């Protein structure tokens, strides 16, 4: 079985870990194992201090590779922050980004390989040689696509800031007037992305941020069209009118979508979605052209997460059976 | 009083600390303080993992700024090595360079500023804004000069390796057939270097490596000529036929100079040296055209080091009085 999962950071990574558990996939893949191809969001990527940082790819890689800081959900376990402290002591800006020492090594490897001319997809593959995430991790694109958030500048004007600045520095508290995917129009899907979708038996959308994670991936020309050809089941990131985690509501508001399981499914649309899992709190949700199923969706522990992944998988297999 | 000190790493940095103590210079310079301009060796500089590393400049800066690892003599106090461990876990080479986490931040700042177009002299000044070393620290040149060591390749041929690889990885144990200062011929002294020498009341040579530290500085066109115009007193790095620290003997052998206080002074020559301090163990040393004075030269503690610096200063002032 071939499965494709477009994924953002923490929510996507945890869902993927649940999916691997549901499928019995360990660190050492065998030929009989189902293959999971992850299409990672790179819209959050940022260059800080000359280092190329890919927060979502790293969160997936660390989570599936056993290196994640579990309680935090991002960054490395047993992390230290000497580099960050010292950069601040030199007066370097910004100081708001959580740059751990172990993490810095990942960024150094990536930056060096990219400076040597390797595309991000090749770099990601090389990094995964160490982490053995048990999935094939592809960036959505090798091109530079950056999510910027347009906010009021205080003088009646507007200014665009990098998503990370809005998300981390301002905790998404500055009202977002617009969310722009800079460079998306001219981007091409990374090698293997469209092929993986076209060859997939099914596609699962984890409960990642529908705007800046899944939306960013859908914004790469050719990806949405490929997904529309596939059997796609999504897991709602919204439960009872609030994001499961993160600040997806601020992103949804910015693009004029209500923060509800139903509205997010309608936003993705029936061309994209075949099935949609909602929490039991949203059991009444209905979206024309989409099979909606309700079950508990809190990824409260690995077993609960595996059960959610299993349910998404089952719905997709069921819907796939319905197709000619 | 204006003093110029061409300096390498550990030996130079400790001598400078002694000189500051002898002159009563603290972190907060006053207008009445004597000014010390340090001409730092950059021949040891190396780019590793995309980071520009200047070991000698940093050793001087950290030592005089209170950030040095005292027992080791180089690197930062309270240092950790998470980045280095992680780079090794990714299979990155080389693994033999002692890259500490705190130190990495310095290299990141330097690399970023250099990528933005700042010359090394401006970068060094910016780094010193934080460390307040109480001296003016100038790199010998803003151009790239790299000390390479030619060694036998095992097949009857020769190969050149970076000084750091020879020094750290091979502990200077591979016989050096030749020591080459790559780029020296085309290098220009950094802004202020020649001016500082010409305006100096006296120049002191600390007990730095006479080949790869002082020799490297002398190899920048124009520097030796300027020093020959000045009153120069050197402190022998060789005591009783052995280097005070480090592996200067291996470097001296490579250039055909005997490892003795006398031979090093003769190698520098009377055009450069006016006075030469040797240890009491070498009291019989004599070099034509150079005033040799013997006193204890082990920099065993800060007081002993300050007394050595004071003796060098006194000899220089005395010799200067002798000049027209």
């Amino acid at each position: 079985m071939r499965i494709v999962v477009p994924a953002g950071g923490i929510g996507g990574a945890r869902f993927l870990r649940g999916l691997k558990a549901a499928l019995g996939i360990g660190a050492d893949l065998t030929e009989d194992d189902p293959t999971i191809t992850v299409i990672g969001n790179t819209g959050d990527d940022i260059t800080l201090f000359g280092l190329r940082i890919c927060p979502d790819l790293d969160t997936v890689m660390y989570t599936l590779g056993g290196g994640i800081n579990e309680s935090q959900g991002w960054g490395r376990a047993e992390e230290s922050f000497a580099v960050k402290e010292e950069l601040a002591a030199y007066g370097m800006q910004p100081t708001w980004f959580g740059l751990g020492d172990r993490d810095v090594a990942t960024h150094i490897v990536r930056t060096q390989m990219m400076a040597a001319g390797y595309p991000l997809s090749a770099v990601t593959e090389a990094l995964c040689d160490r982490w053995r995430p048990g999935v094939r991790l592809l960036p959505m694109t090798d091109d530079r696509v950056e999510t910027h958030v347009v906010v009021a500048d205080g003088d009646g004007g507007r200014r665009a800031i990098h998503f990370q600045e809005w998300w981390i520095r301002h905790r998404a508290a500055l009202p977002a007037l617009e969310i722009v995917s800079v460079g998306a129009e001219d981007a091409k899907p990374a090698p293997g992305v469209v092929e993986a979708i076209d060859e997939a038996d099914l596609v699962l959308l984890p409960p990642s941020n529908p705007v800046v994670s899944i939306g960013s991936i859908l914004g790469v020309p050719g990806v949405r069209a490929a997904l529309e050809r596939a059997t796609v089941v999504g897991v709602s990131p919204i439960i009872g009118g609030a994001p499961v985690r993160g600040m997806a509501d601020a992103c949804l508001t910015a693009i004029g979508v209500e923060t509800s399981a139903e509205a997010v499914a309608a936003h993705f649309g029936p061309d994209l979605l075949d099935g949609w899992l909602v929490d039991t709190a949203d059991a009444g949700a209905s979206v024309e052209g989409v099979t909606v199923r309700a079950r508990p969706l809190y990824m409260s522990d690995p077993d609960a997460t595996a059960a959610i992944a299993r349910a998404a998988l089952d719905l997709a297999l069921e819907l796939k059976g319905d197709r000619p």
Side-chain angles (χ1 to χ4, degrees), chain A:
Chain A
M1 184 159 55
R2 285 164 297 193
I3 304 170
V4 164
V5 181
I10 305 178
R14 289 185 174 164
F15 176 84
L16 280 161
R17 194 161 54 178
L19 180 62
K20 280 175 63 187
L23 293 166
I25 300 177
D28 292 304
L29 285 173
T30 70
E31 280 191 14
D32 299 332
D33 276 324
T35 61
I36 302 174
T37 300
V38 178
I39 303 171
N41 172 41
T42 60
D44 300 8
D45 294 4
I46 190 167
T47 299
L48 292 176
F49 312 113
L51 302 172
R52 190 64 183 161
I53 304 174
C54 301
D56 283 1
L57 292 177
D58 287 350
T59 295
V60 169
M61 185 173 79
Y62 294 158
T63 301
L64 301 185
I68 199 77
N69 178 322
E70 283 294 339
S71 57
Q72 188 171 255
W74 57 269
R76 293 287 310 279
E78 294 167 39
E79 187 57 294
S80 53
F81 291 87
V83 174
K84 178 177 154 73
E85 283 165 21
E86 289 293 318
L87 288 172
Y90 278 116
M92 295 285 278
Q93 294 292 337
T95 55
W96 46 260
F97 194 84
L99 192 66
D101 298 332
R102 293 186 186 280
D103 209 21
V104 161
T106 301
H107 310 324
I108 287 177
V109 176
R110 177 183 292 120
T111 304
Q112 273 231 282
M113 287 190 68
M114 292 181 79
Y118 289 94
L120 181 60
S121 49
V123 173
T124 304
E125 192 179 344
L127 293 172
C128 285
D129 272 351
R130 171 183 174 197
W131 289 101
R132 306 166 61 90
V135 301
R136 181 170 168 231
L137 177 58
L138 304 177
M140 65 189 197
T141 179
D142 279 334
D143 300 320
R144 193 147 170 172
V145 173
E146 255 178 33
T147 305
H148 287 197
V149 179
V150 179
V151 297
D153 69 0
D155 291 326
R158 299 148 62 97
R159 67 191 173 103
I161 58 179
H162 191 284
F163 171 75
Q164 295 291 353
E165 183 174 356
W166 181 68
W167 192 254
I168 298 176
R169 183 181 186 188
H170 299 293
R171 308 295 308 156
L174 287 183
L177 306 175
E178 201 180 334
I179 293 178
V180 188
S181 199
V182 179
E185 280 172 33
D186 301 319
K188 290 180 298 296
V193 164
V194 170
E195 295 77 355
I197 299 170
D198 281 341
E199 292 167 7
D201 296 295
L202 51 95
V203 174
L204 303 180
L205 299 187
S208 291
N209 188 308
V211 184
V212 295
S213 295
I214 304 297
S216 165
I217 298 167
L218 295 175
V220 177
V223 172
R224 187 183 171 103
L227 290 170
E228 289 180 356
R229 295 191 291 268
T231 301
V232 177
V233 167
V235 177
S236 175
I238 306 295
I239 296 181
V244 177
R245 61 161 295 120
M247 301 161 285
D249 46 340
C251 301
L252 287 165
T253 303
I255 63 165
V257 174
E258 190 195 329
T259 300
S260 76
E262 202 170 77
V264 170
H267 168 65
F268 285 147
D271 290 345
L272 178 73
L273 283 183
D274 296 282
W276 187 238
L277 285 190
V278 301
D279 189 77
T280 44
D282 302 304
S286 113
V287 186
E288 199 177 329
V290 178
T291 303
V292 177
R293 188 162 293 170
R295 70 166 330 276
L297 284 192
Y298 280 107
M299 300 193 293
S300 45
D301 60 49
D303 284 349
T305 308
I308 295 167
R310 183 78 253 173
L313 209 51
D314 288 344
L315 178 55
L317 290 169
E318 194 181 314
L319 292 171
K320 195 173 165 64
D322 288 348
R323 291 201 161 191

